[in-house]
């Protein structure tokens, strides 16, 4: 019988590099599936429907939440709503694939209580100043969105101790290798939950 896959949750403050690390993990680790989230935010020019996100209206999102379709969902930074589709995750895990979620801290803490054997990874910035520099450098938020994300970051950083692993994203290659090692260690049985 095929083993069920394992759920890995990558989380941390906005701008810390979660998306960057996720892309590298998906490229470099065979058999790792990504669960594409639903969101009510407007697509950015580079966003691909069904690849980066599934873009839905507020009404649709509310309906989906009421139908229990989400494993977790949250309103992030007081703005759009984001959610992970339960069925997508279950299908991949049942097929024996490990699944990576890249979600905000509120959502990650929901997953932690719902799926106790999930592996929780918190990505830490080298400093608050560097976090701000990365967020500004990305040019994807307005000044007030940026302020709100930095405010949330202060609260989110206090949750790091609830995670199984804290991954410092100073040097990208080193952090990426760290993430790879965590995932492969669980596969090889070196780390257990
Ligand atoms: P998140 O998904 O956590 O919001 P991103 O992956 O979008 O963060 O990264 C935010 C910005 O920081 C991007 O411009 C990205 O290229 C950059 N970045 C990510 N990791 C590093 C790193 N280790 N060193 C310097 N810049 C980084
Ligand atoms: P962005 O809109 O910049 O792509 O993402 C904003 C934030 O939403 C990021 O912190 C990202 O991790 C988080 N996010 C993306 N998808 C989900 C999801 O399905 N659930 C939750 N809770 N957060 C998500």
């Amino acid at each position: 019988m095929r083993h069920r896959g394992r759920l890995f949750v990558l989380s941390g403050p906005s701008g810390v590099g979660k998306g960057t690390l996720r892309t590298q993990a998906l490229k470099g680790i065979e058999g790792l599936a990504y669960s594409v989230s639903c969101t009510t935010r407007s697509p950015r020019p580079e966003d691909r429907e069904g690849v980066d996100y599934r873009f839905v209206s507020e009404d649709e999102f509310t309906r989906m939440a009421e139908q229990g379709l989400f494993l977790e969902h949250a309103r992030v930074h007081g703005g759009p709503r984001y959610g992970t589709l339960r069925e997508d995750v279950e299908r991949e895990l049942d097929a024996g694939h490990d699944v990576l979620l890249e979600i905000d801290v509120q959502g990650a803490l929901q997953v932690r209580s719902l799926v106790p054997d999930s592996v929780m990874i918190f990505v830490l910035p080298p400093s608050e100043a560097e976090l701000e520099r990365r967020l500004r450098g990305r040019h994807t938020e307005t000044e007030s969105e940026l302020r709100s994300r930095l405010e949330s970051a202060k609260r989110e950083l206090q949750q790091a101790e609830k995670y199984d692993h804290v991954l410092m994203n100073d040097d990208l290659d080193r952090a990426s290798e760290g993430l790879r090692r965590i995932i492969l260690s669980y596969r090889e049985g070196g780390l257990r939950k």
Side-chain angles (χ1 to χ4, degrees), residues 13-20 102 130 134 138 169-172:
S14 181
V16 74
K18 302 182 296 295
T20 309
E102 187 236 297
E130 172 62 11
R134 287 183 193 171
R138 197 170 66 175
N169 183 18
D170 43 8
D171 176 75
L172 182 57

Side-chain angles (χ1 to χ4, degrees), residues 132-149:
E132 178 164 353
R133 202 188 63 75
R134 287 183 193 171
L135 262 180
R136 286 194 183 281
R138 197 170 66 175
H139 301 296
T140 46
E141 281 80 30
T142 63
E143 185 62 28
S144 79
E145 283 168 347
L146 204 129
R147 286 280 134 226
S148 142
R149 287 178 184 226

